[in-house]
Amino acid sequence: MKIIKLSAIDSTNTYLINLGKKEVLLDETIVVAESQNKGRGQLGNMWQSKPMQSLTFSVFKRFGNLPVSNLSSIAFAVSIGVHLALKKVLVPQVTIKWPNDIMSYSKKVTGILIENQLKHNKIVSSVIGIGLNVNEEDFENLPQATSILLSTGKKQNLDEVLQLVSESILNQLQRVEQGDYQNLKKEYEKVLFRKNIISVFENDQGFRFNGKIKGVSEAGEILIENEQEITSKYQLKEIKYL
Ligand code: BTN
């Protein structure tokens, strides 16, 4: 893997996507920035992070023309990779909050933004953006966030965490290339946040209901069983956890 280190950039995802349009990128190129001034999150949200305390990086992964029907397995593999790496540094009670927030107890440690490059209905490559809270000691306006330091009491070396997490992600992505889709889905479902626990959800019509997460569909939609024991699937924009 090749690592490009930048001091400041708008967004490592944007940087890597644009670089890929200008030159042929080496598979497994990683771009890490000390600070981002336009960090992007899911659903068009912003991603804010503290320079020198957190990791903001993106991984470029090339695929040999993966069918779009296997898009979700990339997200499963990346989430599992981060999950395993955080367990290695002893973050307690790590789970994956659908679709791919990595949690310790009920607080978020890592956000993931995957952007895929498609050609003729095949995935040719992905840019996988990782925002990982490492050594933050507080999150003033973000009560739902935590860091490795806050959850373990141990300060980390940023370069070592970068190495650990990126290797773990790339290892899991090999399973996508090998076609290990079913097992990736099963492993992802095993560590889903609040699986089988009654939670309150709101659908895109503003309707609130109690339900239990049962798993995910092959396409990566979340499966929620309501009080009438009917299971429905939802895409990211269609459902909110409350
Ligand atoms: C989310 O939880 O909403 C996803 C956050 C992803 C943030 C990372 S930081 C590195 C990379 N560059 C970006 O602009 N976003 C991702």
Side-chain angles (χ1 to χ4, degrees):
M1 87 175 110
K2 172 189 170 187
I3 302 186
I4 302 172
K5 289 191 175 186
L6 305 171
S7 55
I9 192 75
D10 49 358
S11 145
T12 54
N13 264 38
T14 309
Y15 176 87
L16 208 39
I17 290 168
N18 289 340
L19 196 63
K21 287 180 190 158
K22 282 188 247 155
E23 55 187 75
V24 179
L25 292 175
L26 208 63
D27 188 23
E28 306 193 349
T29 298
I30 294 174
V31 173
V32 56
E34 272 175 17
S35 77
Q36 294 187 128
N37 56 34
K38 266 197 198 141
R40 296 188 287 112
Q42 285 180 14
L43 296 172
N45 291 323
M46 270 171 50
W47 180 260
Q48 280 175 321
S49 52
K50 293 188 184 165
M52 318 300 282
Q53 295 185 22
S54 64
L55 277 172
T56 46
F57 66 97
S58 302
V59 179
F60 173 79
K61 179 69 200 152
R62 193 185 302 288
F63 295 102
N65 287 338
L66 197 68
V68 266
S69 53
N70 295 122
L71 206 62
S72 57
S73 60
I74 300 173
F76 299 157
V78 173
S79 305
I80 294 169
V82 178
H83 181 270
L84 287 175
L86 292 184
K87 276 179 69 172
K88 274 206 182 133
V89 290
L90 306 179
V91 173
Q93 196 59 39
V94 195
T95 54
I96 301 169
K97 184 174 176 186
W98 178 85
N100 40 29
D101 286 349
I102 313 298
M103 315 292 285
S104 170
Y105 290 99
S106 54
K107 295 191 169 184
K108 180 163 167 177
V109 202
T110 309
I112 300 172
L113 178 69
I114 304 175
E115 297 181 284
N116 301 297
Q117 291 73 54
L118 308 180
K119 210 179 205 177
H120 308 307
N121 233 18
K122 301 269 187 204
I123 308 157
V124 285
S125 59
S126 298
V127 169
I128 298 149
I130 308 289
L132 171 48
N133 302 328
V134 184
N135 289 328
E136 289 91 336
E137 288 174 3
D138 53 67
F139 291 92
E140 298 94 33
N141 301 318
L142 294 169
Q144 311 284 41
T146 190
S147 64
I148 300 181
L149 173 61
L150 283 170
S151 62
T152 63
K154 193 170 174 284
K155 211 167 184 153
Q156 299 287 335
N157 173 298
L158 288 180
D159 285 335
E160 284 172 15
V161 179
L162 171 66
Q163 191 76 24
L164 174 76
V165 177
S166 40
E167 271 173 13
S168 184
I169 292 172
L170 289 168
N171 276 339
Q172 294 302 317
L173 285 170
Q174 280 182 10
R175 299 175 62 193
V176 174
E177 293 183 293
Q178 291 155 0
D180 197 12
Y181 312 128
Q182 285 308 323
N183 288 326
L184 281 168
K185 176 174 170 307
K186 272 192 212 146
E187 281 171 41
Y188 172 95
E189 287 180 313
K190 237 192 244 167
V191 292
L192 262 181
F193 177 72
R194 290 191 72 80
K195 187 173 167 200
N196 285 322
I197 299 172
I198 295 185
S199 310
V200 186
F201 297 93
E202 187 178 289
N203 70 15
D204 52 0
Q205 318 288 308
F207 176 73
R208 289 184 179 191
F209 64 98
N210 291 329
K212 283 184 204 163
I213 294 172
K214 302 308 284 181
V216 287
S217 69
E218 305 262 312
E221 298 143 310
I222 194 163
L223 303 176
I224 302 175
E225 183 189 87
N226 67 12
E227 285 178 312
Q228 288 72 45
E229 295 184 4
I230 297 166
T231 302
S232 309
K233 45 188 181 186
Y234 299 90
Q235 292 181 1
L236 187 55
K237 287 182 188 147
E238 296 172 340
I239 196 84
K240 265 197 270 187
Y241 299 79
L242 297 177

